[in-house]
Amino acid sequence: QALQKQWKEVLGVEIQIEQLDRQTLNQKLEQKDFQLSLACWISQLSDPMDILERYQKKEHLKNFSGWENEKFSQLLQQAIQEEEKEKRDLFLEEAEEIFAREMPITPLYHWCGPHLCDPRVQNLHFTSNGGVLFERAFIK
């Protein structure tokens, strides 16, 4: 509703909001039966490829935008095949620049999960997406 209001005030664009259950939303996204959608996901890995690979081909099930860019796809393929980390990172960085310039999706916000921990808690670990691992933790 906040976006709806802002778009009306700033852009003069009126949009209708349609609330859907998760199953119906997923069907509409997969079938590309929408003009605009609000969606989110969390990367499972601390690797840009975890998100970027879904945009390598427009046919990818999670590429809801249907966006595809030949140079972007080539860079991702080079990154997949590259064994040297520094070169792989350069391919991914160039691909990210294309992605950011063409912007097939528009990030509205990024989740962050700050943690406070008493210094007496030792050996506490976190997953790449913010989960807390208590298995080896102990109080000193």
Side-chain angles (χ1 to χ4, degrees):
Q1 290 172 331
L3 289 174
Q4 182 185 42
K5 182 179 181 214
Q6 291 170 4
W7 283 30
K8 174 71 174 156
E9 291 173 358
V10 177
L11 303 173
V13 174
E14 289 192 41
I15 60 172
Q16 298 299 317
I17 297 175
E18 181 180 18
Q19 287 187 306
L20 304 170
D21 61 83
R22 174 55 65 188
Q23 183 178 357
T24 304
L25 174 62
N26 285 341
Q27 287 173 348
K28 284 184 167 281
L29 290 173
E30 290 169 9
Q31 296 168 2
K32 314 236 182 311
D33 180 20
F34 65 96
Q35 292 180 325
L36 179 70
S37 176
L38 186 61
C40 68
W41 65 85
I42 299 173
S43 179
Q44 299 299 310
L45 305 170
S46 184
D47 184 341
M49 190 63 86
D50 192 48
I51 299 295
L52 296 177
E53 61 89 20
R54 72 179 55 195
Y55 298 98
Q56 189 170 10
K57 298 288 178 199
K58 65 182 173 186
E59 295 84 12
H60 190 287
L61 184 63
K62 299 289 184 174
N63 183 353
F64 303 134
S65 69
W67 177 81
E68 187 175 68
N69 176 292
E70 186 177 340
K71 179 65 175 168
F72 175 85
S73 297
Q74 290 171 353
L75 288 164
L76 289 189
Q77 192 59 43
Q78 288 175 292
I80 290 167
Q81 296 170 344
E82 183 57 58
E83 294 180 18
E84 189 178 320
K85 183 184 177 342
E86 291 77 20
K87 287 183 182 177
R88 179 182 186 270
D89 289 348
L90 289 174
F91 290 134
L92 290 173
E93 186 177 314
E94 190 175 344
E96 286 177 333
E97 288 174 10
I98 292 170
F99 193 80
R101 188 172 52 250
E102 296 200 10
M103 200 170 283
I105 61 172
T106 304
L108 295 179
Y109 63 90
H110 295 275
W111 287 347
C112 63
H115 297 91
L116 294 176
C117 186
D118 189 301
R120 295 176 297 160
V121 177
Q122 300 290 304
N123 213 25
L124 189 63
H125 296 280
F126 301 92
T127 66
S128 60
N129 62 0
V132 183
L133 303 174
F134 292 100
E135 289 86 4
R136 298 186 194 124
F138 60 91
I139 306 289
K140 188 172 183 181

